[in-house]
Amino acid sequence: AMQWLDALRTEVDTTIEPMFWRSWFGLTPPWQATDPVEQQAVRDYLQLLKAQLLLQQNDLPAAQQVLSEFPQDSALSEMALGLYATVLDEAKQVPELLAVYQQQIRKHPFAELSWRAANQIGLQFELTGVAKAALAAYQWADGYYQQQLTANRALAPLNLEQLASGELTPWQQY
């Protein structure tokens, strides 16, 4: 699978022909293969798949390297951060793991992944025997969850005028 993935990545990097898609997937997608935004999205997806394969093979250093190079502005950055946290947790790299959890909360504050990250910070402190920090982290996670829940409940259903004007709260934009 890794060889196929590397070959596919090479094809994405060098192709400008829609026939590439037909030869690999049996169809031609609706976008043009020459669109740089679409090509970057495919590259990001392949990079994420490579990291997942490396994790399945228990090659944690290689998976960590792939994920450390993942573009932070990618539409897939939320998934990449989640996978990176899994790799760091498996590798027992607690300081780096805590930093990734904090990055998840900061970059994706409305994602369910962020609430889990807030709880995982408490768990990591608990596992390392720092009870006061664990309690404080769990209390912060509970407050964070309650804040997000309150914000979510306060939202009225979206209507077409709001969508057309773009006047959305950050939660609705997420």
Side-chain angles (χ1 to χ4, degrees):
M2 195 64 73
Q3 291 172 342
W4 180 80
L5 191 61
D6 288 337
L8 183 57
R9 172 72 187 236
T10 301
E11 287 291 322
V12 169
D13 287 341
T14 60
T15 188
I16 48 177
E17 295 282 333
M19 283 306 297
F20 153 77
W21 298 101
R22 185 169 299 286
S23 69
W24 279 93
F25 299 106
L27 57 93
T28 302
W31 69 83
Q32 292 295 319
T34 57
D35 181 358
V37 173
E38 295 293 341
Q39 280 190 326
Q40 185 59 48
V42 172
R43 278 189 215 95
D44 294 350
Y45 181 69
L46 293 175
Q47 190 174 355
L48 198 57
L49 285 177
K50 183 174 185 174
Q52 288 173 329
L53 283 172
L54 291 167
L55 177 61
Q56 287 176 347
Q57 295 171 351
N58 206 29
D59 190 350
L60 300 178
Q64 187 173 349
Q65 180 63 39
V66 168
L67 290 165
S68 71
E69 297 169 356
F70 198 85
Q72 292 190 12
D73 61 344
S74 171
L76 301 173
S77 69
E78 184 180 335
M79 286 193 300
L81 281 171
L83 187 59
Y84 201 13
T86 301
V87 169
L88 292 171
D89 189 32
E90 293 283 324
K92 306 293 186 230
Q93 296 181 14
V94 176
E96 294 86 353
L97 177 60
L98 293 174
V100 168
Y101 287 150
Q102 290 170 345
Q103 188 175 5
Q104 286 175 326
I105 294 166
R106 188 175 53 256
K107 288 190 71 161
H108 306 285
F110 305 112
E112 184 268 337
L113 183 73
S114 293
W115 184 77
R116 269 191 297 152
N119 279 301
Q120 289 298 320
I121 291 171
L123 178 63
Q124 290 303 318
F125 283 130
E126 186 179 338
L127 293 173
T128 56
V130 187
K132 279 187 175 182
L135 178 60
Y138 283 134
Q139 288 172 335
W140 184 88
D142 183 56
Y144 178 72
Y145 175 74
Q146 294 303 325
Q147 174 190 7
Q148 298 298 345
L149 190 60
T150 300
N152 192 21
R153 286 183 180 154
L155 295 175
L158 288 175
N159 58 46
L160 291 177
E161 291 80 27
Q162 279 180 294
L163 290 173
S165 70
E167 294 178 20
L168 304 171
T169 67
W171 184 277
Q172 291 167 324
Q173 290 175 4
Y174 177 74

